[in-house]
């Protein structure tokens, strides 16, 4: 256990490609990642990635694909999966040290649960732990438009200490492919949790 361990949660908002790419980048950077996936996130992965992930019999290749698993090689040892109902997992306690938590993508239902302290599953509980321990919590919502209820819940999370980082790609980087837009968002998330990367061209940097 080290304070550089990161918690990553996938929930039931559109944006599964962001989460998978983020997981890849974190593992490639040598970080230990504690992964939690909600049931709704499984449905999103099936729709957006055409991948069948089983919560009770999780296999990295089902989520990441065999090619990426092979490419990550020994780095995959840094992946620690926790069932969303397993409150005995270390990340359910503040005594388990981490370097931060990211919920990507973050559904509005998850935002509501975090905003009101409803620890109904391990995602909610781990997020609650990060807030009470004053650790970095990054929420990556992908929802539009936002209603008053969602805005108030997001505000409550921000007031409690969370970073609200909507999945909003920039265009000043002149993206040439969808992967460029995904990498921009993933790069900005990495900035928040102190993971070095070369995923995006920063403002004022030369495009040549």
């Amino acid at each position: 256990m080290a304070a550089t361990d990161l918690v990553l949660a996938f929930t039931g908002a559109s944006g599964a490609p962001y989460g998978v790419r983020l997981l890849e980048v974190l593992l490639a950077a040598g970080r230990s990642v504690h992964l939690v996936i909600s049931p709704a996130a499984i449905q999103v992965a099936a729709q957006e990635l055409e991948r069948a992930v089983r919560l009770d019999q999780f296999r990295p290749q089902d989520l990441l694909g065999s090619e990426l698993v092979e490419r990550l090689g020994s780095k995959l040892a840094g992946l620690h999966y926790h069932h969303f109902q397993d409150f005995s997992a270390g990340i359910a306690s503040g005594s388990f040290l981490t370097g931060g938590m990211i919920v990507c993508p973050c559904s509005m239902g998850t935002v509501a649960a975090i905003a009101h302290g409803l620890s109904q599953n391990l995602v909610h509980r781990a997020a609650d732990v990060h807030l009470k321990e004053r650790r970095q919590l990054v929420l990556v919502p992908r929802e539009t438009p936002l209603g008053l209820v969602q805005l108030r819940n997001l505000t409550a999370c921000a007031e409690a200490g969370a970073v609200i980082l909507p999945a909003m790609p920039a265009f000043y980087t002149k993206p040439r492919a969808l992967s460029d837009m995904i990498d921009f968002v993933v790069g900005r998330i990495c900035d928040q949790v102190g993971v070095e990367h070369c995923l995006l061209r920063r403002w004022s940097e030369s495009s040549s």
Side-chain angles (χ1 to χ4, degrees):
M1 183 177 63
T4 57
D5 286 13
L6 294 170
V7 180
L8 174 59
F10 296 172
T11 63
S14 179
Y18 291 116
V20 170
R21 177 61 169 152
L22 177 59
L23 177 57
E24 175 190 356
V25 170
L26 296 179
L27 291 173
R31 290 301 188 96
S32 289
V33 180
H34 297 266
L35 178 66
V36 188
I37 306 173
S38 76
I42 295 301
Q43 298 178 25
V44 175
Q47 176 69 28
E48 298 184 347
L49 303 173
E50 297 184 345
R51 294 176 184 170
V53 180
R54 294 172 292 181
L55 294 176
D56 295 325
Q57 296 179 313
F58 176 78
R59 302 192 313 160
Q61 55 266 41
D62 293 339
L63 176 65
L64 300 173
S66 298
E67 182 179 338
L68 178 52
V69 164
E70 183 176 350
R71 190 160 69 244
L72 285 169
S74 62
K75 298 284 190 179
L76 201 62
L79 176 59
H80 308 280
Y81 172 75
H82 304 283
H83 192 277
F84 76 102
Q85 292 177 322
D86 183 12
F87 282 86
S88 67
I91 59 174
S93 171
S95 66
F96 188 94
L97 300 180
T98 75
M101 176 176 178
I102 308 143
V103 185
C104 176
C106 186
S107 69
M108 289 299 104
T110 300
V111 168
I114 295 171
H116 298 281
L118 303 179
S119 294
Q120 298 171 320
N121 62 40
L122 185 57
V123 176
H124 306 157
R125 173 56 185 168
D128 191 41
V129 164
H130 281 75
L131 289 179
K132 77 182 185 68
E133 298 291 334
R134 300 294 192 266
R135 298 178 194 161
Q136 189 78 313
L137 173 64
V138 181
L139 307 181
V140 186
R142 209 300 316 157
E143 184 76 38
T144 190
L146 291 170
L148 182 59
V149 170
Q150 289 80 27
L151 288 168
R152 283 177 171 164
N153 286 337
L154 286 166
T155 299
C157 289
E159 289 174 341
V163 172
I164 310 302
L165 199 159
M168 294 181 178
F171 292 92
Y172 66 81
T173 57
K174 297 182 174 60
R176 297 182 180 181
L178 181 59
S179 59
D180 295 331
M181 302 174 77
I182 292 172
D183 277 358
F184 178 87
V185 173
V186 170
R188 298 293 284 131
I189 297 169
C190 288
D191 288 346
Q192 291 295 319
V193 292
V195 174
E196 293 186 7
H197 64 88
C198 299
L199 296 174
L200 57 91
R201 180 173 63 85
R202 300 184 184 278
W203 182 253
S204 82
E205 286 184 348
S206 172
S207 60
S208 57

